[in-house]
Amino acid sequence: MSKLKLHLDADTSIKALHNALVSRGHDVTRTPTEWMPFDASDDAQLLGATAQERCIFTFNIRDFMILAERYPQHCGIVLAAQSSWTLSSLISALHRLLSETQAEEWIGQVRWLNQWRT
């Protein structure tokens, strides 16, 4: 089993969120990065994360539900409704998700972050 790696898409690319997860020992990247420009399309973000063997976290529920069907071999999509989360609750839930799941569990999966809410 391998440790889950996460990518924060353009919608969830919050520096404080990224820094908090990295400081807790998680392998997390965010848009923009050397392999993902800030203005990348949703398709490019999902495919880029998949190429990097990363699950992607997004608030863009509608578009990523469609992309999950278009690209069924993605490395996982984590969805959350932006309005229902504070920064601290995002950090806590994503920390739990990254600590409790393995990369292999996520292939082709779309799951709601609420599963890891405390």
Side-chain angles (χ1 to χ4, degrees):
M1 293 292 228
S2 55
K3 197 167 181 183
L4 181 64
K5 298 185 294 184
L6 186 67
H7 182 70
L8 308 176
D9 82 339
D11 288 340
T12 60
S13 185
I14 304 161
K15 285 182 185 180
L17 175 60
H18 175 257
N19 292 340
L21 294 171
V22 169
S23 73
R24 285 166 174 76
H26 300 296
D27 186 342
V28 180
T29 56
R30 61 184 280 272
T31 298
T33 187
E34 63 276 355
W35 50 268
M36 185 64 57
F38 188 76
D39 61 351
S41 68
D42 292 337
D43 290 72
Q45 291 193 75
L46 180 60
L47 294 173
T50 299
Q52 298 288 320
E53 298 181 339
R54 293 180 178 280
C55 182
I56 193 165
F57 174 52
T58 187
F59 295 133
N60 189 348
I61 297 163
R62 185 192 52 161
D63 291 345
F64 275 83
M65 291 295 285
I66 293 167
L67 292 175
E69 291 183 24
R70 186 178 303 156
Y71 306 110
Q73 291 304 310
H74 59 81
C75 290
I77 300 171
V78 180
L79 302 172
Q82 185 173 7
S83 61
S84 65
W85 293 88
T86 63
L87 178 59
S88 62
S89 64
L90 282 174
I91 292 167
S92 176
L94 287 168
H95 173 64
R96 285 189 63 215
L97 178 154
L98 289 162
S99 299
E100 296 173 4
T101 65
Q102 300 293 312
E104 294 79 6
E105 299 172 45
W106 283 92
I107 304 299
Q109 295 294 306
V110 178
R111 296 169 75 181
W112 290 92
L113 186 59
N114 281 343
Q115 291 179 247
W116 291 274
R117 190 174 226 156
T118 53

